[in-house]
Amino acid sequence: MEFAAQTPRQEAPCPAELDEFAVAFYERTLGRADFCPSGIADELGVPRQRAEQAVCVLRELRLVKPAEGVVDRLVAVSPEAAQMELLVPLEREILDSRRRLAGFKGQLSSFVAAFEKQARTRAESVVITDDQEEIELRLLEAAQGCTTEVLVMQPCVARETHELRLARPLVLEALRRGAQARILYPHTARGDSVTRAHLGELLPAGGQVRTTNEVRDRFLVFDRKTAFIPAGEGDAIAVVYEGAVAAFLAGLHARAWESAFDFDSGAAGYAGTMEDLKATLLDLLASGAKDEVIARRVGMSERTLRRHVATIMQDLSATSRFQAGVLAARTGLVDPALRSAA
């Protein structure tokens, strides 16, 4: 079946800017059989160019029109007549658009039941894909159907992945529809200007944001029904349509949320979380974890991690990472239980 290409609709022109002179010009033309713009300009003692500008405004508002049978002469029109000519067609067009909108809504509602039935009987419980377009479509589907809450755990915006970047405007839209959103970032996100700029939009919309000393991984959960989690080391994403998995991730999020710190957009820098971050770094250093592992656990780049480690070593007067770990253990700055678990 072929469909005819739709031609773009022409928008109605916006009226030119109205000023007091245009009103004064119009008042001077009232009660005359016809008039010449230059004559009105002479009467008002203004340049003719200004009179022509006023005429342009009045023409667009349909308050003047050419006089019949007389060249280069105009006649004033009453506002009521101008309204009939200018506004009635626009109001009719608005009414037609509303009827078309209602018609489209009625037609689309016929497909809602079929869609919901398909969603309830979805054959696949897990879809693994690295196709960016498919990921975007599945994110859009989950977000548009979200009515209660969105849960997010992610690194700072500067290090976010493709699906998290796509999810940002969708989370904002879910908030505007009345859903709740709770987002967990690592403490290091507090020092990231791009993250703070994004949170400047998220917080006023009603989103709740906290930071924690460790973000083990990233995931999104919509309504505890659909989850988006990494699938391996590449760009592949596992979309899980299984309530039990989504509920499990929601539980992980809730436990991390309890010990996390509220994010205050007005507070500068790490805002009191630096000691918590420093303690976590010391624990991981004492465990012997590699830089790559530590950086991923706390949500920062390896370069930033090395800068923090250098500062910690300087504070402890340590000449090596091992010595820093030993000194931290002796002074009680690390948690032995956490170190053995790590």
Side-chain angles (χ1 to χ4, degrees):
M1 181 182 295
E2 295 183 355
F3 294 89
Q6 294 185 353
T7 57
R9 298 181 62 185
Q10 294 183 348
E11 296 184 357
C14 295
E17 184 178 353
L18 186 64
D19 57 18
E20 294 181 359
F21 176 73
V23 177
F25 187 96
Y26 176 71
E27 290 178 347
R28 187 58 68 97
T29 65
L30 296 175
R32 305 184 185 215
D34 54 51
F35 67 89
C36 175
S38 59
I40 301 295
D42 294 339
E43 292 179 20
L44 294 174
V46 298
R48 296 187 177 186
Q49 182 180 2
R50 188 158 186 205
E52 292 173 358
Q53 292 173 348
V55 168
C56 288
V57 174
L58 297 175
R59 277 181 176 274
E60 289 189 10
L61 294 175
R62 306 297 192 269
L63 290 170
V64 298
K65 66 179 182 179
E68 294 184 7
V70 185
V71 180
D72 297 331
R73 304 286 291 184
L74 300 172
V75 61
V77 178
S78 71
E80 291 78 9
Q83 180 172 316
M84 291 294 295
E85 181 179 354
L86 183 64
L87 300 186
V88 170
L90 292 177
E91 291 175 348
R92 185 180 299 115
E93 184 177 345
I94 291 172
L95 181 60
D96 290 342
S97 297
R98 287 176 176 170
R99 288 173 177 167
R100 293 177 63 241
L101 178 62
F104 283 134
K105 285 184 176 179
Q107 292 174 344
L108 290 172
S109 65
S110 302
F111 297 90
V112 171
F115 178 83
E116 291 180 346
K117 179 180 178 181
Q118 189 274 339
R120 288 193 299 269
T121 59
R122 189 184 295 273
E124 70 277 21
S125 58
V126 179
V127 175
I128 299 178
T129 178
D130 60 359
D131 184 272
Q132 302 300 320
E133 184 175 352
E134 182 178 3
I135 292 173
E136 183 173 2
L137 289 174
R138 291 184 182 273
L139 272 171
L140 183 62
E141 176 189 354
Q144 288 183 336
C146 178
T147 59
T148 57
E149 68 174 2
V150 185
L151 302 175
V152 184
M153 179 181 286
Q154 69 169 88
C156 61
V157 171
R159 301 181 63 220
E160 71 182 356
T161 53
H162 179 73
E163 81 278 2
L164 291 171
R165 187 164 56 254
L166 291 173
R168 269 197 269 161
L170 300 178
V171 172
L172 279 170
E173 182 59 30
L175 277 169
R176 296 187 182 107
R177 292 199 311 269
Q180 295 181 337
R182 288 187 292 170
I183 298 91
L184 270 172
Y185 284 101
H187 289 324
T188 50
R190 293 173 178 265
D192 180 59
S193 59
V194 182
T195 303
R196 295 182 70 91
H198 169 54
L199 298 185
E201 295 181 289
L202 192 67
L203 293 171
Q208 301 177 59
V209 180
R210 290 185 179 181
T211 64
T212 181
N213 53 3
E214 294 184 60
V215 171
R216 300 296 180 94
D217 224 318
R218 69 184 195 272
F219 60 78
L220 297 96
V221 179
F222 294 91
D223 280 348
R224 306 198 178 203
K225 296 178 181 177
T226 308
F228 292 77
I229 60 177
E233 296 296 328
D235 296 330
I237 292 296
V239 188
V240 184
Y241 300 99
E242 177 55 59
V245 175
F248 174 76
L249 292 173
L252 289 179
H253 191 283
R255 287 189 288 276
W257 186 264
E258 289 176 0
S259 59
F261 292 74
D262 285 327
F263 180 86
D264 179 3
S265 59
Y270 285 83
T273 62
M274 180 56 77
E275 290 304 315
D276 192 47
L277 175 61
K278 182 178 177 181
T280 300
L281 291 176
L282 283 169
D283 286 330
L284 294 171
L285 284 173
S287 74
K290 296 181 179 179
D291 286 354
E292 179 184 357
V293 175
I294 298 175
R296 185 170 61 250
R297 289 273 289 272
V298 299
M300 66 174 61
S301 67
E302 291 185 44
R303 177 182 297 180
T304 303
L305 170 66
R306 294 189 188 102
R307 189 164 60 247
H308 281 289
V309 170
T311 301
I312 291 173
M313 290 174 60
Q314 183 178 1
D315 291 343
L316 293 172
S317 299
T319 58
S320 68
R321 291 162 58 106
F322 176 76
Q323 187 182 22
V326 171
L327 291 172
R330 286 177 179 174
T331 56
L333 295 177
V334 297
D335 182 352
L338 178 61
R339 183 173 68 251
S340 61

